Amino acid sequence: MFRSARLKLTAWYVLGIMLISIVFSIVAYWALTPEIRRGMYMQALHAEALGRGQGTDGNEQPPAFTPRGPFIKVFPGPPRAFDPQLFAEAQSRVATRLIILNIGIFILAGATGYFLSGRTLRPIEEMVNDQKRFVADASHELRTPLTAMRTEIEVALRDKGLDAASAKDVLQSNLEEIGKLQLFSDHLLTLGRYQSAANNREFTEVKLIDVVEKAYQEVQPLAEAKNTEIQSDIDDIAIKADKESLTKLFVIFLDNAIKYSNENGKVFINAKALKNEAIINIQDFGIGIRASDIPYIFNRFYRADASRSKTNVSGYGLGLSIAKSIIDIHNGKVNVESTPDQGTTFTITLPLKH
Ligand code: ADP
């Protein structure tokens, strides 16, 4: 698909360039040939003037040059030394050169057009491939809970002696799967929102401490369930940001820090201002991330194997890609330092003014 689009685009580039080149050549030919003719004419006049009024046939000629008045009155016809054959040859030489020039331009335009169309289409191609990958990954994530639900229902329906208690179990399990699907669709919607509407956000002066407090409230139930202590040390910093997105950002990092820590763990969050930036650290002492996984954790749907095997934490690998989109919206940066089985520190740098 992209190959034929590239060829079509090349053809349009070449067509445009050739149109300009051909028009230019016609104009050049049209403007040049009278000039050549004039030059040859003048040369012939000069030759005849040097011949001191003697024509080739030996007859007396009119004076070669009259300073005043148009020479057409002096020479009604072309001078004898003017050779129309020579002029025709010069004309055809100009035409041949222009044709050769146009062939050269055609080849050059073809090569350049092919190269440029490749460059023009590459980001679109990458976007389409990314979209395809996204659809494939999302379908894969959807299939797992749907298959589980279907199997359970089919088995229950085949069981002729299914009692109310077992039916309730099936419904309960299905409800859990539906919960997962709901969470998944929420994540997808959030991701879509952050990736498409970067410019529609309202940036206001936001106090970091307020945002962290709000995020803390959201993750508190999970922290309590795992008996995790969250300690914060936030300087009095205000940054130009979208408050809702920033809250979401801290919820994601705090939620992960709790999720990927053992019970009775600790999570530190601190923030300070340095020059024109706010530096925020979120540190946990949980399962950590292997160095080989670190480059991929911000990719959509990526989940490190350790997080699946060591913890029984469910997730879709979308949290950090949402976080990355939010950081990008705020022109910020994120850095990860992690040691397996010792813990992880995420450092987020956000400019104070957007
Ligand atoms: P999810 O948590 O839903 O799997 P995320 O995008 O939030 O998705 O995280 C991607 C992966 O990065 C996780 O699956 C996990 O392997 C790893 N990860 C993220 N945060 C931490 C952390 N604090 N400690 C250890 N691993 C983490």
Side-chain angles (χ1 to χ4, degrees), residues 74 121 130 179 225:
V74 183
L121 290 174
D130 197 41

Side-chain angles (χ1 to χ4, degrees), residues 202-212 214 234-247 250 278 330 350-352:
E202 200 187 320
F203 283 78
T204 53
E205 197 93 333
V206 177
K207 277 192 161 245
L208 217 49
I209 195 145
D210 294 346
V211 181
V212 173
K214 201 149 188 294
I234 312 288
D235 282 359
D236 187 17
I237 308 169
I239 62 173
K240 259 266 162 63
D242 175 49
K243 194 170 182 179
E244 189 204 322
S245 314
L246 219 55
T247 312
F250 292 125
H330 290 86
L350 297 172
L352 295 180

Side-chain angles (χ1 to χ4, degrees), residues 25-331:
S25 305
I26 292 170
V27 171
Y29 183 78
W30 176 77
L32 273 178
T33 44
E35 280 305 310
I36 295 169
R37 187 185 167 83
R38 207 174 74 89
M40 291 173 81
Y41 211 101
M42 293 306 280
Q43 218 174 11
L45 277 180
H46 258 290
E48 285 190 3
L50 288 174
R52 304 195 201 292
Q54 287 292 315
T56 43
D57 50 3
N59 294 336
E60 188 71 14
Q61 292 291 310
F65 180 68
T66 314
R68 266 183 244 128
F71 68 80
I72 198 85
K73 281 189 183 159
V74 183
F75 296 111
R80 286 168 185 223
F82 176 75
D83 187 351
Q85 184 78 31
L86 221 59
F87 172 64
E89 263 176 35
Q91 236 179 343
S92 98
R93 263 205 305 276
V94 170
T96 314
R97 277 180 194 181
L98 284 173
I99 288 168
I100 291 171
L101 185 78
N102 273 285
I103 292 171
I105 289 176
F106 178 79
I107 294 167
L108 206 70
T112 318
Y114 191 71
F115 171 74
L116 286 180
S117 56
R119 290 200 72 148
T120 313
L121 290 174
R122 196 176 307 145
I124 304 169
E125 189 176 5
E126 276 167 15
M127 208 173 74
V128 171
N129 287 342
D130 197 41
Q131 210 71 31
K132 276 188 196 159
R133 245 189 333 265
F134 178 73
V135 171
D137 290 343
S139 325
H140 179 77
E141 293 293 343
L142 281 172
R143 203 179 301 145
T144 315
L146 285 175
T147 312
M149 281 165 70
R150 190 190 174 113
T151 314
E152 269 183 312
I153 294 170
E154 279 174 355
V155 170
L157 285 177
R158 271 203 298 271
D159 183 359
K160 293 218 169 64
L162 185 77
D163 56 19
S166 313
K168 262 190 176 174
D169 282 348
V170 172
L171 287 176
Q172 185 61 41
S173 159
N174 279 352
L175 208 60
E176 275 170 28
E177 296 298 340
I178 289 169
K180 285 184 197 167
L181 284 174
Q182 226 158 16
L183 187 76
F184 179 59
S185 73
D186 286 351
H187 270 85
L188 281 186
L189 281 174
T190 314
L191 185 66
R193 240 184 33 232
Y194 283 114
Q195 287 189 336
S196 63
N199 301 324
N200 300 340
R201 319 236 134 238
E202 200 187 320
F203 283 78
T204 53
E205 197 93 333
V206 177
K207 277 192 161 245
L208 217 49
I209 195 145
D210 294 346
V211 181
V212 173
E213 177 62 34
K214 201 149 188 294
Y216 171 74
Q217 281 165 12
E218 282 197 39
V219 298
Q220 204 179 7
L222 181 66
E224 278 171 8
K226 285 191 81 172
N227 198 26
T228 305
E229 188 188 336
I230 300 179
Q231 286 184 7
S232 67
D233 178 11
I234 312 288
D235 282 359
D236 187 17
I237 308 169
I239 62 173
K240 259 266 162 63
D242 175 49
K243 194 170 182 179
E244 189 204 322
S245 314
L246 219 55
T247 312
K248 179 92 195 154
L249 178 74
F250 292 125
V251 169
I252 292 169
F253 282 111
L254 288 175
D255 187 68
N256 276 351
I258 303 165
K259 266 190 338 190
Y260 298 113
S261 292
N262 300 322
E263 294 209 354
N264 311 316
K266 260 190 186 160
V267 172
F268 292 127
I269 173 162
N270 64 58
K272 51 173 110 29
L274 201 74
K275 290 182 185 160
N276 296 323
E277 293 173 330
I279 317 265
I280 304 131
N281 287 305
I282 297 142
Q283 184 181 16
D284 68 62
F285 304 90
I287 62 166
I289 309 166
R290 277 189 314 197
S292 55
D293 285 319
I294 287 181
Y296 308 105
I297 55 172
F298 290 97
N299 291 357
R300 281 183 316 214
F301 301 108
Y302 188 83
R303 301 199 74 212
D305 283 341
S307 59
R308 296 172 205 258
S309 53
K310 287 190 189 174
T311 61
N312 207 7
V313 169
S314 64
Y316 294 99
L318 290 174
L320 287 185
S321 46
I322 295 173
K324 182 75 174 67
S325 302
I326 296 173
I327 293 168
D328 287 347
I329 290 172
H330 290 86
N331 294 331

